[in-house]
């Protein structure tokens, strides 16, 4: 399972860098996210958006990534669930700037 966690007294960041069945089950078992949000995480690339719920915000962002070896820019999609005392980030691949931020914290 590709879930890394930073926990403090009042806040936790769950950093998922591979979205497989195990990660999906982790989110279903530990959070009460809307099923459509979980479906978005497992689906195709979509437009950026922010959905507001009573107990969390769900957002989708597209981050450009430069592949220097191919001289090509591709898009990595990142999903954010932000609640009162947690942040969950989901991506299908490791995204270097997000990965660096996680390990600096």
């Amino acid at each position: 399972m590709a879930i890394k966690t930073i926990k403090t007294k009042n806040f936790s960041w769950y950093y998922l860098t591979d979205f497989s069945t195990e990660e999906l089950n982790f989110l279903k078992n530990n959070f009460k996210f809307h099923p459509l949000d979980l479906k978005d995480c497992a689906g195709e690339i979509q437009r950026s958006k922010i959905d507001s719920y009573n107990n969390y915000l769900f957002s989708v962002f597209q981050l450009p990534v430069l592949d220097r070896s191919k001289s090509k820019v591709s898009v990595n999609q990142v999903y954010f669930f932000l609640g009162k005392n947690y942040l969950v980030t989901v991506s299908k691949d490791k995204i270097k700037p997000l990965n660096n931020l996680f390990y600096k914290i």
Side-chain angles (χ1 to χ4, degrees), residues 33-75:
F33 296 143
H34 194 284
L36 289 176
D37 295 337
L38 296 175
K39 185 179 176 184
D40 283 349
C41 291
E44 300 294 318
I45 290 183
Q46 56 185 288
R47 295 186 315 178
S48 297
K49 68 177 182 176
I50 298 175
D51 292 333
S52 179
Y53 297 93
N54 290 335
N55 56 345
Y56 71 95
L57 291 174
F58 173 68
S59 58
V60 179
F61 292 104
Q62 295 181 16
L63 302 177
V65 177
L66 175 62
D67 183 346
R68 293 183 190 275
S69 65
K70 296 178 184 176
S71 298
K72 183 179 176 183
V73 175
S74 60
V75 173

